[in-house]
Amino acid sequence: MTLIEGSATVSRELELNPEPGILVESLRDIGYSFQSALADIVDNSLAARATKIELFALPMQKSGFMVGIIDNGAGLRRNDLLQAMRLGSSNPRDTRVQGDLGRFGLGLKTASFSQCRRLTVLSRKDGQTSAFCWDLDEVVKNNQWNIIELTDISSLQWLEKLGESGTLVLWEKVDRIAGSRKLQSGNIERLVSEAQTHLSLTFHRFIEGSHGLRKVSIWFNGYQLQPLDPFNTDNPATQAGALEKIMQNVTLQSFTLPHASRYEDAAEYVKYGLPGGYQQNQGVYLYRANRLIIHGTWFGITKKLPQTQLCRVCLDIGIEEDESWKIDVKKTSAQLPDDVRERIKKLMVTIGSPSRRVYRRRTAALTSPDAYPIWRRYEKDGKVFYEIASEHPVIGEFRSSLDSEKRRCFDSLLSFIGTTFPLEALTYDLSNDADKVTMEDMSHEDFVDAARAFSERLMRKENMGTDDVVAIMKVIPPFKSRWSEAALVLGVDE
């Protein structure tokens, strides 16, 4: 207790330490996901200048689901490792060295605690190997911040993979992954696959060795991760805007991704859409020290529209900007400073225009009354021919439901119908009394089936949004003359 005398009052300072058992349980609920927790550990490996990082997430017969992260970085001596295991091991306001991906001195601990109740870290440097362990059950039981120093490390999982220098982070008693001891193989595969994609995206610059970075190989359960560049800069159809320096330590560059028709196959197109698809992942991609922090957000500046779904904006900030951007402990959220927000607002018109032009040109062609004809007209050897357009969405949707043999028979049927078109009779009737020539209306049931097949084909095969499909169907037959029925099928209000 300390007495403090002021000009008008006398007060006392009382030491009021937090309850270890309560605080440590609270720290587990900061909000990490499995993949964001792994990314935080990888940050430490990169800060240690590792060139190879191996991750394992596997069910063990005796000890349940376990996670290990091993790197060949610089490693830590005993006292440095002990300090690194302290909660709040560094001051967030201290000057950081260039490329330092940490800030609060909490990431290793809070990320690990969010997933497991026993964290062991072993590090090797200059021939010295040290290991410490936080066991949260012991902290709660004794209600004390007592860390365990391991003197016998021979039984540690994945120890044999550690080289002459580097660090092993081991998660045991993993209890936050949907009943980890009872995880089925399918769930594990999904969990690992999602984490692999997340890491491939978050650290793609490090894996590529781009932006002046040393190349780092990252392996996950024996699979080497490939970089996932959200801007698809290797595709010649990607449109890149000029690199602009908005303010000190902040640069911006806009990208318009290629339309689906400019990809070699559907799998590649889906890959660069990222989980959730193009419309969900449009927006700002914020990098801090070349590490992706946040992606797919306009920070409330504008809505995510189908017309701008190909637009992605790269924002790079330096580590000096942490406080002004309010980077959180998990490195999964940030806030735009007011001056940057205002600048992006002014840039929005030009940022989104290439993406809008891609879809405007395409939509203008598709919303022509002549788009998607059932009968195709073409000229050959000085003559005019008509044939059924087998690629029409309604026909194409039906064809795709057939097996190869039935599809061949169906194509033969279309050819047969096309060649037996009553051209002479139609010409005679039109020349005598064109007003009498008309077509029988479809039944309501047949019309609904056709409208549903048409819209689903465009949405699934051509990746169109509802707004684009509505614009097309409003102007082409037979939907334009029976639009109220078509609107009900699409579920839109008119």
Side-chain angles (χ1 to χ4, degrees):
M1 180 178 69
T2 305
L3 290 177
I4 303 176
E5 296 186 11
S7 56
T9 62
V10 176
S11 58
R12 293 184 299 174
E13 268 189 354
L14 301 175
E15 186 174 2
L16 190 62
N17 291 321
E19 290 283 346
I22 296 174
L23 179 58
V24 78
E25 296 291 358
S26 299
L27 287 174
R28 305 195 73 202
D29 295 315
I30 289 180
Y32 281 96
S33 65
F34 177 65
Q35 55 198 33
S36 65
L38 288 177
D40 222 333
I41 307 302
V42 172
D43 284 339
N44 291 332
S45 297
L46 294 173
R49 302 189 62 79
T51 58
K52 182 178 182 180
I53 303 168
E54 291 186 89
L55 298 96
F56 296 92
L58 298 168
M60 299 298 172
Q61 189 171 4
K62 294 183 179 180
S63 51
F65 192 77
M66 292 179 63
V67 175
I69 303 97
I70 307 104
D71 68 54
N72 65 347
L76 295 168
R77 297 184 181 91
R78 178 187 180 279
N79 290 342
D80 294 329
L81 176 58
L82 183 59
Q83 174 63 16
M85 296 292 280
R86 183 191 300 274
L87 275 77
S89 56
S90 61
N91 189 333
R93 289 180 170 79
D94 285 348
T95 301
R96 321 296 296 186
V97 297
Q98 195 64 33
D100 187 355
L101 297 177
R103 182 188 174 202
F104 294 93
L106 286 169
L108 168 65
K109 285 76 66 175
T110 54
S112 301
F113 293 167
S114 74
Q115 306 298 311
C116 72
R117 299 194 65 84
R118 183 178 174 91
L119 163 67
T120 300
V121 182
L122 181 149
S123 199
R124 184 172 291 161
K125 184 173 184 177
D126 298 334
Q128 182 188 82
T129 301
S130 309
F132 292 94
C133 171
W134 278 115
D135 191 316
L136 302 191
D137 291 331
E138 291 297 315
V139 172
V140 172
K141 176 183 175 181
N142 300 319
N143 204 31
Q144 292 181 332
W145 293 112
N146 289 338
I147 194 168
I148 302 167
E149 182 170 12
L150 303 181
T151 55
D152 182 4
I153 60 172
S154 59
S155 62
L156 286 182
Q157 187 72 35
W158 299 301
L159 174 63
E160 74 282 357
K161 294 185 175 293
L162 193 64
E164 293 182 359
S165 68
T167 299
L168 163 64
V169 176
L170 186 62
W171 293 351
E172 299 173 275
K173 299 182 184 178
V174 178
D175 64 338
R176 290 295 180 92
I177 309 176
S180 302
R181 288 183 177 274
K182 298 180 181 179
L183 271 177
Q184 297 179 351
S185 59
N187 293 333
I188 292 175
E189 290 174 4
R190 175 189 55 79
L191 185 76
V192 169
S193 177
E194 291 174 353
Q196 288 173 337
T197 300
H198 180 76
L199 296 176
S200 295
L201 176 64
T202 301
F203 300 105
H204 74 92
R205 290 181 176 178
F206 295 88
I207 301 172
E208 294 164 353
S210 62
H211 294 73
L213 299 168
R214 66 187 180 282
K215 194 169 185 177
V216 179
S217 65
I218 302 180
W219 298 73
F220 202 139
N221 283 357
Y223 170 77
Q224 185 172 7
L225 302 187
Q226 301 302 310
L228 181 52
D229 173 12
F231 311 112
N232 198 2
T233 51
D234 287 338
N235 192 317
T238 295
Q239 301 176 48
L243 182 65
E244 178 180 348
K245 184 175 181 179
I246 296 182
M247 56 185 293
Q248 185 69 24
N249 301 317
V250 179
T251 61
L252 175 149
Q253 188 174 20
S254 64
F255 295 86
T256 301
L257 273 62
H259 187 269
S261 60
R262 304 299 298 273
Y263 288 86
E264 292 185 359
D265 53 49
E268 184 187 16
Y269 175 70
V270 171
K271 170 186 174 182
Y272 287 102
L274 307 181
Y278 284 87
Q279 183 161 337
Q280 179 177 323
N281 288 296
Q282 65 178 283
V284 172
Y285 285 63
L286 178 62
Y287 292 80
R288 173 192 178 271
N290 286 305
R291 190 256 209 213
L292 185 61
I293 299 290
I294 302 172
H295 72 277
T297 176
W298 288 119
F299 287 100
I301 294 174
T302 188
K303 295 181 179 179
K304 293 182 176 181
L305 302 173
Q307 297 92 328
T308 55
Q309 65 177 307
L310 300 180
C311 182
R312 295 178 182 175
V313 179
C314 176
L315 266 179
D316 269 283
I317 66 173
I319 57 176
E320 306 87 352
E321 303 300 315
D322 284 354
E323 193 163 347
S324 60
W325 287 72
K326 296 181 174 59
I327 306 296
D328 72 341
V329 174
K330 306 185 302 297
K331 296 187 279 290
T332 58
S333 71
Q335 297 180 30
L336 290 180
D338 290 340
D339 46 359
V340 178
R341 177 178 291 273
E342 291 304 313
R343 181 60 180 140
I344 292 180
K345 281 183 180 179
K346 294 177 181 178
L347 289 171
M348 280 308 300
V349 175
T350 55
I351 286 174
S353 59
S355 181
R356 290 189 180 95
R357 281 198 298 271
V358 169
Y359 275 88
R360 203 159 41 230
R361 288 194 298 268
R362 182 168 176 80
T363 303
L366 296 179
T367 55
S368 164
D370 299 324
Y372 295 108
I374 292 289
W375 289 88
R376 184 195 302 112
R377 178 189 184 276
Y378 66 99
E379 297 184 18
K380 180 180 178 182
D381 299 329
K383 296 182 179 181
V384 176
F385 295 86
Y386 283 85
E387 67 178 3
I388 297 175
S390 60
E391 71 276 7
H392 186 278
V394 175
I395 298 174
E397 189 70 359
F398 178 73
R399 284 185 80 253
S400 65
S401 68
L402 304 175
D403 59 36
S404 58
E405 178 60 25
K406 290 181 179 180
R407 192 177 300 129
R408 186 192 64 78
C409 294
F410 178 69
D411 290 340
S412 297
L413 177 62
L414 291 183
S415 178
F416 175 75
I417 294 173
T419 57
T420 58
F421 184 82
L423 182 60
E424 292 182 0
L426 180 61
T427 302
Y428 176 82
D429 288 335
L430 289 173
S431 63
N432 279 278
D433 192 351
D435 291 339
K436 290 176 61 177
V437 180
T438 185
M439 303 296 293
E440 189 77 30
D441 284 340
M442 298 173 67
S443 69
H444 175 70
E445 291 76 12
D446 290 343
F447 180 84
V448 167
D449 289 342
R452 184 175 292 116
F454 187 94
S455 60
E456 289 179 355
R457 183 77 174 184
L458 295 191
M459 290 179 183
R460 189 177 68 254
K461 291 295 185 180
E462 302 193 30
N463 199 42
M464 290 189 186
T466 302
D467 291 344
D468 288 337
V469 174
V470 167
I472 292 168
M473 293 179 69
K474 271 187 171 182
V475 298
I476 65 172
F479 310 114
K480 67 176 182 179
S481 61
R482 299 173 64 172
W483 176 243
S484 60
E485 293 174 81
L488 288 174
V489 174
L490 295 172
V492 296
D493 295 326
E494 289 297 316

